[in-house]
Amino acid sequence: MAELPQINSVHVAPAAPRASRPALLGGVGGSLLWFLAVAALLVGYGLVVCWSATSTNADFSFTRQLAGVAGGLVIMALLWRLDYRRLANMTIVFLVINVVLILSPHLPVIGVGAKGAQSWIKIGMQVQPGEFAKVTVVLFAASLVSRYGGTLEDAREYCKVLGLLLIPFLCIMTQPDLGTGLVYLFIAATTLLMGGARPRYLVITLLAGIAAIAAVFVIDEFLKYEKSPGVYEYRLLKNYQRSRLLVFLNPDADTSGDGYNLAQAMIAIGSGGLFGKGLLHGTQATYGYLPEAPTDFIFCVLAEELGFVGVVALLALYIALIMAALRIAREADDLFGMLIVCAVVGMWLFQILENIGMTCGLMPITGIPLPFVSYGSSFMVVNFAMLGLIASVCTHHNALGRKGAYAATH
């Protein structure tokens, strides 16, 4: 493993005496209050849509979604009270936690496979460790990049950081879970961009990634084998992953086969009109035409039942949440805190754009849910944990200045 840089190691100002620390709601200014108010509205809106999407589907329990919100509030409160600066030098710890969490579904006793992926573990209840690892991936990336004090211009150091940031992605691809892996990559890219990496390095990395994807398809053509007459199996990419990309490139190619999901999603969105059909009156999800309606395609449920007005309301809440978070990032006085907030914002933006984009045919279909709206108690807990991290940054940031909080340790 590459050696972490020793210069520019994070130095955190001593914590204030307990009596002088700000209360959870008092003394933190308008930024945090506005951020939490928008988050509360978004959660409430998401619960209404989720209730409608799950009410006619016996495979999903809205009570479990509420349990996810309750558990998320507890995690959020704990992370809020925790001084995030204490986590600044735990880079290796977060890396180890990431690897353990992401690879745990491969354990023979607790690992559970479903839908072609080994992504779950069963410990009393079935959970997806890769989802919870998003929190530690954010902290790992922010801790690693902040060691360079906002300047990452040396090519060798950039390659070292990039290699370390790719470890969670490589681990998640052993399941394989491409959707979650893309989220990890976007967290890493956002952290590098905001952490001072040279734009030239980022462009080269992007081009290399595109070339690697093209190479995978070319190599797969040589490695494929005939599983049955006329049916081929690929070794590097699953057949469903290839079909999703091909459908994205040509949505009308097979609307009754591989393109069925996208076709039904677009019908649901288009049929909503200006004001929608009303909650519980959407036909696409109610009659089973729309697959995975409460999870991956819940945006289609919202668009069909609440129409264009409902979609605009959701987007307005997302924009308000992102803007409030970015204001907190701008007010943060240390690089580590700023990178935490930016990494979370980058993660949310990618998930929002990918989920909504895939339902409109603008992005390839992946299993990426919609933040605070899609069904999933684990997913809800993780999003509340991100709220707690941002609240901690807003509450506990010091007044040293971003680069002033990092000093040489020779």
Side-chain angles (χ1 to χ4, degrees), residues 46-52 54-55 60-67 375:
L47 285 175
V48 171
V49 177
C50 187
W51 165 73
S52 181
T54 57
S55 60
F60 299 91
S61 169
F62 183 67
T63 302
R64 185 172 180 180
Q65 186 76 349
L66 292 177
Y375 177 88

Side-chain angles (χ1 to χ4, degrees), residues 2-5 144 148 155-165:
E3 182 182 357
L4 292 175
L144 176 62
Y148 291 86
R156 184 182 303 177
E157 292 298 315
Y158 175 81
C159 291
K160 181 194 299 184
V161 172
L162 182 63
L164 289 169
L165 290 175

